[in-house]
Amino acid sequence: LADIMKNIYKYEYPTPIQSISIPLIHKNKNVIAVSETGSGKTLSYIIPCFHNALLNKLKSENKNKNKKSRYKILIILPTKELSKQIYNESLLFNKYYCENNLKIKYINTSVILSISNDYTNFINNTDIYIGTPNNIFKLISLCKDDLLNSVSYIIFDESDKYFELGFIDIIEQILQIVSKKLKISKIFFSATISENLIEIINNNYADSIKVRIGSKNLPAKNIVQEFIYCSNEEGKINELKNIFHRQIDFPILVFIDGVNKIKYIYKKIKYECPNIECMFSKINKKEREEQINKFRVGDIFVLLCSDLLSRGID
């Protein structure tokens, strides 16, 4: 593991959140972990969860070739973009550390429809399930105890985002279902923590171990902030143009509140800089994935976006 972390992930040492979270999750504790964006939270739960799932699966197969692993993992993310990213991250760790021994499935509507008549076979041949709250809830509703009786971890990543995106009712329903399963470890990761989330967790899991790295709800230390005062909306657009005309490093993310506002600002500034695009939830999933990939490789210089990309996306 140490070699993989150094050579593949370029971590010489564990980050603070990894140092504290990995041993707790490895021991199957209920954990609430709060740490700034970019602090290595994803690997904080992937490493211990996947490690335990792998050991359990190998032991089961050595004892009985036909016996199926009973150490399954549910990972819930607030957006499709983030769930796809964690899915790809999971495939990478499975490849290098688990030698592809774990079977990982990205849960979407088509997967749920395809297994509706034979979910038992699907459960027996899948170790890790990754998806958004709606799709994971549909999966749990379809498979019920056949799935939950074999789950050891349920992870709620970017937990505070569930409130902002309107998923909290579904999350509460999932929590009520899994709270009856004492063998399932409930794990919450977030860059910020709200009183609403603390209240919901305390109502269901008073024994949770709370871990916080850094000051509460402050930005990452490696982010430099600058405040520019603009007297009105047009002033903000003019200032944005001025930023593009300076010698500034690309790529640039511009966060804008509201789809109509994004479209309006895009029309105003699209000729100020090459390769400007906009992205928001109403754009179809395939196009959004293409835009993110173009942004990553440098084909898009400036991306005007909603808070869809505001947290967790690499």
Side-chain angles (χ1 to χ4, degrees), residues 17-18 21-22 25 31-35 40-46 155-162 187-193 197 311:
I17 192 66
Q18 291 168 356
S21 300
I22 290 173
I25 297 171
V31 175
I32 307 168
V34 183
S35 184
K41 291 193 295 295
T42 302
L43 285 171
S44 296
Y45 62 78
I46 280 183
I155 297 142
F156 301 87
D157 202 351
E158 298 296 351
S159 307
D160 260 12
K161 277 291 179 185
Y162 301 130
I187 299 161
F188 302 82
F189 272 84
S190 190
T192 58
I193 191 78
L197 181 60
R311 190 191 292 173

Side-chain angles (χ1 to χ4, degrees), residues 60-72:
S60 298
E61 290 176 351
N62 286 337
K63 289 180 181 178
N64 186 344
K65 295 294 182 182
N66 296 317
K67 189 177 180 181
K68 302 298 181 183
S69 171
R70 309 295 290 177
Y71 218 102
K72 300 183 187 298

Side-chain angles (χ1 to χ4, degrees), residues 196-239:
N196 290 332
L197 181 60
I198 289 291
E199 183 181 352
I200 288 171
I201 294 170
N202 285 340
N203 288 341
N204 291 280
Y205 314 112
D207 63 336
S208 296
I209 297 172
K210 299 173 181 66
V211 176
R212 176 179 287 137
I213 302 296
S215 301
K216 184 179 180 181
N217 295 348
L218 287 181
K221 292 178 181 178
N222 61 344
I223 292 177
V224 177
Q225 297 187 86
E226 180 184 354
F227 175 77
I228 300 172
Y229 176 76
C230 303
S231 59
N232 52 39
E233 292 297 319
E234 290 303 315
K236 284 196 275 189
I237 293 173
N238 289 332
E239 186 57 42

Side-chain angles (χ1 to χ4, degrees), residues 121-139:
N121 185 55
F122 175 75
I123 294 170
N124 289 338
N125 291 285
T126 309
D127 302 301
I128 295 150
Y129 310 79
I130 301 171
T132 57
N134 284 331
N135 287 326
I136 294 296
F137 179 67
K138 288 175 185 175
L139 180 71

Side-chain angles (χ1 to χ4, degrees), residues 9 46 50 84-106 128 130:
Y9 292 95
I46 280 183
F50 282 43
K84 201 74 176 190
Q85 176 178 294
I86 300 303
Y87 172 68
N88 290 329
E89 191 74 24
S90 299
L91 292 177
L92 187 69
F93 191 79
N94 187 35
K95 173 184 176 182
Y96 287 107
Y97 181 69
C98 306
E99 297 180 351
N100 289 326
N101 275 296
L102 298 178
K103 304 301 180 186
I104 305 171
K105 199 70 179 178
Y106 179 70
I128 295 150
I130 301 171

